[in-house]
Amino acid sequence: METTNKQAYAKIVENGTLAVQEIQNLATSGYMAEHIYVLAHDSEKTERIAQASEAKEIGIKEEGVFDSIANLFRSRGDELRAKIVSLGFTEAEADFYEKQLDLGKVLVIAKKNQP
């Protein structure tokens, strides 16, 4: 599943290998590395894919300080949805993507260059 809105492009892939390939495709098509993010339900999996592909993890810069602190007290599902929303997606889109992450899939997001 691919989604594009005004702020970002997102694609759900089946595993880390396909995520790395998608990240490489996005980089080749002109997205800057600092605008490509990866997210998996397991934070260690997210970290491994980010390191293998040079993609970024969604952090304080993207979420803001308050959401980052709030994530310390949220369930993993709530944390994932907050991270997705922080990149410009709606609550409904975040809910859909989080359910896909629950199934073991990986989300690749590329933010469009902001003027």
Side-chain angles (χ1 to χ4, degrees):
M1 159 111 192
E2 290 182 34
T3 304
T4 303
N5 66 27
K6 290 180 183 178
Q7 296 181 16
Y9 160 90
K11 184 172 183 177
I12 289 285
V13 295
E14 294 294 321
N15 56 48
T17 301
L18 293 175
V20 171
Q21 289 174 354
E22 182 62 21
I23 291 162
Q24 290 170 343
N25 290 342
L26 289 167
T28 301
S29 68
Y31 283 94
M32 297 173 58
E34 62 265 15
H35 295 154
I36 302 173
Y37 302 87
V38 64
L39 192 60
H41 200 280
D42 177 5
S43 59
E44 289 179 14
K45 183 176 182 179
T46 300
E47 186 177 336
R48 285 192 309 270
I49 296 168
Q51 288 176 350
S53 65
E54 298 183 18
K56 292 181 61 179
E57 296 180 60
I58 302 167
I60 292 174
K61 180 181 175 189
E62 295 77 26
E63 289 184 278
V65 173
F66 294 114
D67 273 335
S68 291
I69 292 170
N71 282 341
L72 297 172
F73 304 99
R74 292 179 172 148
S75 70
R76 181 65 175 158
D78 289 344
E79 178 185 353
L80 292 170
R81 285 189 294 279
K83 287 178 180 289
I84 295 166
V85 168
S86 75
L87 291 180
F89 293 91
T90 66
E91 293 285 340
E93 289 169 323
D95 188 51
F96 170 80
Y97 288 131
E98 192 270 328
K99 286 177 181 165
Q100 296 300 304
L101 296 176
D102 281 346
L103 299 173
K105 297 180 182 179
V106 180
L107 177 61
V108 177
I109 298 173
K111 285 193 73 165
K112 296 183 178 170
N113 294 335
Q114 301 297 321

